[in-house]
Amino acid sequence: YLFLLPFLASPTSQPTQVKSVKIATQKSSVIKRGASLSKKEAISLDAVAADPEKYADQILMIKGKTSSVCTKKGCWMTLKGKRMSARVTFKDYSFFVPTDAINMNAKVEGTVQVKVMSEAERKHLAEDEKVDVSKVPKVELRIIAHGVELWKV
């Protein structure tokens, strides 16, 4: 039974402390995080944002451009279309994106939801983004991604 002790004492799969990860890629490099993306046709974020209920609970491939990223550990990013934006979080907190992945092209595969945020969640996101809480909307479009690909513009 002593041989089981190292396994029982091993850390959980959730990182307790994550260092900020920066990227230094060449223009042609593609950064892949999470599950491999399917071959689905990508739709624009603006098309999804125009009628989010139509797409609720469907697994979609959505394209856009990153406009902000969690500066602490990359646990969320904001995807921007031509007219709309959405916060992208990562399924089961299982992966992160580089903290300097701003102004990059992105394809995200996941599900869409309209999220009503508590005041505490808004405050937390404002701290992550280093903005005033008034800049964080009370209701936002959110994508729960299981896979992401990023590349420089």
Side-chain angles (χ1 to χ4, degrees):
Y1 295 107
L2 291 177
F3 67 92
L4 290 176
L5 193 55
F7 295 106
L8 296 173
S10 66
T12 65
S13 62
Q14 286 292 339
T16 55
Q17 190 172 31
V18 178
K19 292 181 181 177
S20 294
V21 178
K22 301 265 183 192
I23 58 173
T25 61
Q26 297 175 355
K27 237 181 170 102
S28 61
S29 297
V30 175
I31 300 163
K32 298 179 181 184
R33 295 290 190 266
S36 296
L37 300 185
S38 71
K39 302 292 182 195
K40 286 183 178 187
E41 185 72 27
I43 60 176
S44 74
L45 177 61
D46 290 320
V48 174
D51 191 4
E53 291 80 23
K54 175 181 174 182
Y55 298 102
D57 300 322
Q58 297 178 43
I59 296 175
L60 302 172
M61 182 79 67
I62 302 169
K63 61 185 177 182
K65 187 175 177 181
T66 61
S67 58
S68 61
V69 176
C70 170
T71 58
K72 292 184 180 178
K73 57 186 167 189
C75 62
W76 57 263
M77 67 182 191
T78 304
L79 192 64
K80 186 171 134 183
K82 290 183 177 162
R83 296 181 310 273
M84 304 295 286
S85 64
R87 187 172 313 274
V88 180
T89 60
F90 309 112
K91 187 174 184 192
D92 299 327
Y93 210 66
S94 59
F95 63 95
F96 305 114
V97 295
T99 58
D100 62 347
I102 298 171
N103 293 322
M104 296 184 81
N105 290 317
K107 277 202 307 190
V108 175
E109 192 165 18
T111 55
V112 174
Q113 63 180 213
V114 176
K115 171 80 171 154
V116 178
M117 293 190 291
S118 69
E119 213 42 47
E121 186 173 15
R122 290 178 65 225
K123 184 178 178 189
H124 173 83
L125 291 171
E127 289 171 4
D128 283 355
E129 207 167 344
K130 297 180 179 167
V131 298
D132 187 81
V133 71
S134 65
K135 300 285 185 191
V136 179
K138 293 179 181 180
V139 178
E140 70 179 10
L141 185 62
R142 189 162 290 186
I143 302 165
I144 313 306
H146 60 258
V148 173
E149 288 185 0
L150 304 164
W151 64 98
K152 289 191 178 194
V153 177

